[in-house]
Amino acid sequence: MAKVLLAEDDVTMVSLLKTLLTMEGYEVVALDSDADIVEAALREQPDLLLMYVLLLNQNGLDELKKLRARKGGESMRVLMTSGVDFKDQCLARGANAFIQKPFMPDDLLAALQSTLRS
């Protein structure tokens, strides 16, 4: 069972993602909106970090850059998401993949599976 760490500040989205991913057999750990994402990712060692770009108190692009600079974070699989097309910026900062909201559950699951295989 793959472990997914969620860095998302919309509580409704967190609830939906947790339900969907759990039903699909993933172990899901959701971070609080003010959590230190990099430290949590290094501590939890997820198979994949699903991170929103425009977090309430943090910038996902900055957090991704910090993660990639840390020992143990350089090879972590990261799938970024946003309602704005930040694909190029996310990939340039080291994300493995990007999916734009709104997305269908099947599209998210396909992106997760593809990112986990990469």
Side-chain angles (χ1 to χ4, degrees), residues 12-42:
T12 302
M13 182 60 83
V14 169
S15 178
L16 292 170
L17 289 170
K18 283 177 73 171
T19 300
L20 172 67
L21 297 177
T22 301
M23 287 175 48
E24 292 294 322
Y26 291 95
E27 177 186 350
V28 181
V29 177
L31 297 176
D32 292 331
S33 62
D34 60 348
D36 184 325
I37 296 169
V38 173
E39 291 304 319
L42 295 173

Side-chain angles (χ1 to χ4, degrees), residues 43-75:
R43 180 181 65 249
E44 293 288 339
Q45 287 296 301
D47 296 292
L48 184 136
L49 169 60
L50 178 58
M51 181 165 48
Y52 188 60
V53 174
L54 300 173
L55 296 161
L56 185 62
N57 299 315
Q58 301 174 73
N59 182 310
L61 291 170
D62 293 341
E63 294 304 305
L64 177 60
K65 185 177 178 182
K66 289 182 211 171
L67 178 68
R68 292 299 189 220
R70 295 282 300 273
K71 183 174 172 34
E74 64 276 354
S75 61

